[in-house]
Amino acid sequence: MIKGGKPLSGTVQISSSKNAILPIISACLLTADECIIKNIPGLDDVSVMCELVSSLGARVEANIQERELYISTPELTGHTAPYDLVSRMRASFLVLGPLLARAGKAKVALPGGCPIGTRPVDLHLKGFEAMDAQIEYGNGYIEAKARTGRLKGSRVYLDFPSVGATENLLIGAVLAEGCTSIENAASEPEIVDLANFLNKMGARIKGAGTDTITIEGVDRVHGAEHAIMPDRIEAGTLMTAAAITGGDVILKNVVPDHLKPVTAKLLEAGIEVSEGLSEIRVKGAPRPAPLNIKTHPFPGFPTDMQAQFVALMAKAQGTSVIVETVFENRFMHVNELRRMGAKIRLDARTAVIEGCDSLEGARVRATDLRAGAALILAGLTARGTTEVLDSHHIDRGYEFIENKLQRLGADIKRV
Ligand code: EPZ
């Protein structure tokens, strides 16, 4: 429940990254030794991933106060990722890599579609076939096994720089026989965080963060300690909250470099953004200038920030055009924003937004994680009260979102 109209001000501490920790938890399956993961965020998706690796034989302990996870997998007691877990969270598919690497076989449910698109996994599977895995389909599952019992290093070219495929193949290549190169790889910062963790475990990875990653296979890896990187999308979302409310907010625990495309667009919209070493200050403007945006894989403008910017542009001084090139159906927030008075025309992957000087509070429904975040942003600036239903979508990727916003002066509460 949000009562709009209050400019946000103050300081907020950004949590660590959902999209970095999920593949890192999966990578812990590669070793019998204990891995210590620090700075964990309290997110539903983290719990689901811990549940999944536990079902495969991992021992998982969490120290919530210290925000630490301790994971050790003496042996893999299972190699099946069941449909009920994979369908709840697509990132469950990331256990395919470590299962193939350590056990030489895996049975993983195909992730269903999700609100933002079909999200196939063909690039993951094509990559593993290139590494000498045999893939069979049946009853909504894929069964994969390394033909000789061990994956073989090979050259893998990704038709699209898929984040998940890059992560799955990267983890799988760590214990493969020989060298692997992943070309046209995704270069998101979360890939770099994963590669750093794997190298601490004794992997030999070069080039993470570029479009070509090379991995020299080793026979085994050992435990490691790793602090998860800050969540650049939570940071981008809270920067946009400061912008949309005309506020003045300092974000702590950020990596400004990870936010370059978001910062560039806020500056272009007339929002003041100043960067420190690990903090960013954002001063909003009553009505931003309109923008033309196209989402792209990193270092382009992130698709995970598209919904939030549609909300921001709903009050721009003019007409904006936002093109979603990564997912085929990631405009579920548009209908809900229209109910708040936003003037948006949709044509396939393009949203044309005619800025207006105010939005009206309304009862709206979150359809997915970032759409929900966009509705909160719209509620923060709308006249009157906005009720965001199905807020569980938002809890998947934002830790204590209402507390963070309350501390910045927002009139928001969970009912
Ligand atoms: C990751 O999803 C993120 N999730 C997503 O964040 C993010 O939107 C996405 O990367 C793009 O940055 C996690 O890291 C857990 P992709 P992922 O594989 O790996 C197509 C959020 O809000 N594709 O890069 O699933 C796919 O259909 C979430 O935090 C294939 O065609 O993204 C999509 O159109 C949402 N075949 C595009 O690539 C494949 O085998 C991008 O997918 C794989 C992907």
Side-chain angles (χ1 to χ4, degrees):
M1 194 76 88
I2 304 153
K3 246 200 215 69
K6 293 191 177 10
L8 300 188
S9 68
T11 300
V12 63
Q13 183 82 8
I14 297 300
S15 300
S16 58
S17 164
K18 163 177 89 82
N19 292 351
I21 193 170
L22 295 178
I24 284 174
I25 291 172
S26 175
C28 293
L29 291 170
L30 289 173
T31 178
D33 298 351
E34 179 175 75
C35 296
I36 300 176
I37 304 175
K38 296 171 175 284
N39 286 354
I40 58 170
L43 297 172
D44 298 356
D45 276 12
V46 174
S47 314
V48 174
M49 188 54 106
C50 289
E51 199 183 319
L52 174 56
V53 296
S54 305
S55 74
L56 298 169
R59 288 196 204 123
V60 181
E61 278 167 57
N63 178 330
I64 302 298
Q65 269 62 43
E66 298 297 313
R67 289 178 159 267
E68 290 185 349
L69 270 183
Y70 314 99
I71 304 179
S72 53
T73 315
E75 58 169 326
L76 288 173
T77 56
H79 60 278
T80 300
Y83 177 66
D84 69 308
L85 285 177
V86 177
S87 60
R88 264 163 67 191
M89 184 185 65
R90 173 187 171 72
S92 312
F93 201 72
L94 291 173
V95 297
L96 175 59
L99 287 174
L100 270 180
R102 189 161 172 207
K105 61 182 180 183
K107 181 177 177 187
V108 182
L110 285 167
C114 78
I116 62 178
T118 53
R119 300 181 74 177
V121 286
D122 55 314
L123 300 177
H124 302 236
L125 302 178
K126 220 172 98 182
F128 283 119
E129 282 173 332
M131 296 172 74
D132 202 34
Q134 186 178 0
I135 311 277
E136 273 158 26
Y137 298 79
N139 317 96
Y141 279 81
I142 61 111
E143 297 226 35
K145 60 174 178 296
R147 285 179 205 282
T148 62
R150 186 179 181 187
L151 291 174
K152 287 202 176 352
S154 117
R155 182 178 166 277
V156 176
Y157 181 81
L158 293 179
D159 303 350
F160 178 87
S162 151
V163 171
T166 303
E167 291 167 343
N168 235 337
L169 295 164
L170 180 57
I171 298 173
V174 163
L175 297 181
E177 189 181 341
C179 279
T180 299
S181 75
I182 305 173
E183 297 175 19
N184 196 26
S187 56
E188 269 71 2
E190 292 76 20
I191 309 264
V192 177
D193 215 34
L194 171 62
N196 291 340
F197 175 62
L198 290 166
N199 281 338
K200 283 182 193 173
M201 294 174 82
R204 294 198 189 131
I205 300 165
K206 288 196 174 60
T210 73
D211 62 4
T212 303
I213 305 176
T214 55
I215 306 103
E216 199 186 317
V218 294
D219 293 339
R220 74 183 59 257
V221 288
H222 49 74
E225 221 176 271
H226 188 71
I228 301 294
M229 64 174 248
D231 192 315
R232 63 188 169 101
I233 304 301
E234 183 194 39
T237 305
L238 289 170
M239 288 164 75
T240 314
I244 204 169
T245 58
D248 181 353
V249 174
I250 294 176
L251 292 84
K252 296 249 184 222
N253 188 38
V254 297
V255 179
D257 246 14
H258 293 171
L259 284 150
K260 270 200 185 122
V262 174
T263 300
K265 283 299 173 186
L266 287 175
L267 290 170
E268 203 183 314
I271 310 287
E272 252 182 76
V273 182
S274 45
E275 295 175 356
L277 261 183
S278 62
E279 60 182 53
I280 287 184
R281 180 173 187 171
V282 178
K283 284 177 146 175
R287 288 188 61 193
L291 292 172
N292 285 349
I293 293 179
K294 242 185 189 182
T295 67
H296 273 290
F298 197 84
F301 188 87
T303 172
D304 291 351
M305 283 299 304
Q306 177 258 106
Q308 297 91 314
F309 266 66
V310 169
L312 178 64
M313 289 297 107
K315 282 185 56 186
Q317 283 166 325
T319 301
S320 303
V321 179
I322 298 189
V323 183
E324 171 55 63
T325 74
V326 178
F327 287 101
E328 68 268 27
N329 179 32
R330 201 174 192 173
F331 283 121
M332 314 285 272
H333 41 288
V334 166
N335 272 332
E336 301 302 311
L337 290 169
R338 281 178 178 144
R339 302 191 53 241
M340 299 176 73
K343 293 190 183 55
I344 306 172
R345 276 200 325 279
L346 268 191
D347 169 26
R349 293 193 176 205
T350 301
V352 178
I353 306 142
E354 220 177 295
C356 45
D357 62 1
S358 72
L359 294 175
E360 309 297 314
R363 213 160 188 235
V364 289
R365 189 174 293 278
T367 49
D368 57 88
L369 167 58
R370 308 302 175 186
L375 296 174
I376 289 182
L377 295 182
L380 288 172
T381 186
R383 282 208 302 246
T385 301
T386 298
E387 199 176 340
V388 179
L389 304 174
D390 289 355
S391 57
H392 61 275
H393 287 290
I394 303 165
D395 295 331
R396 292 186 55 177
Y398 292 94
E399 186 182 33
F400 312 134
I401 185 74
E402 75 270 25
N403 309 73
K404 283 177 173 144
L405 290 169
Q406 280 160 1
R407 279 205 293 278
L408 292 172
D411 182 342
I412 179 172
K413 59 180 184 299
R414 186 182 294 259
V415 291

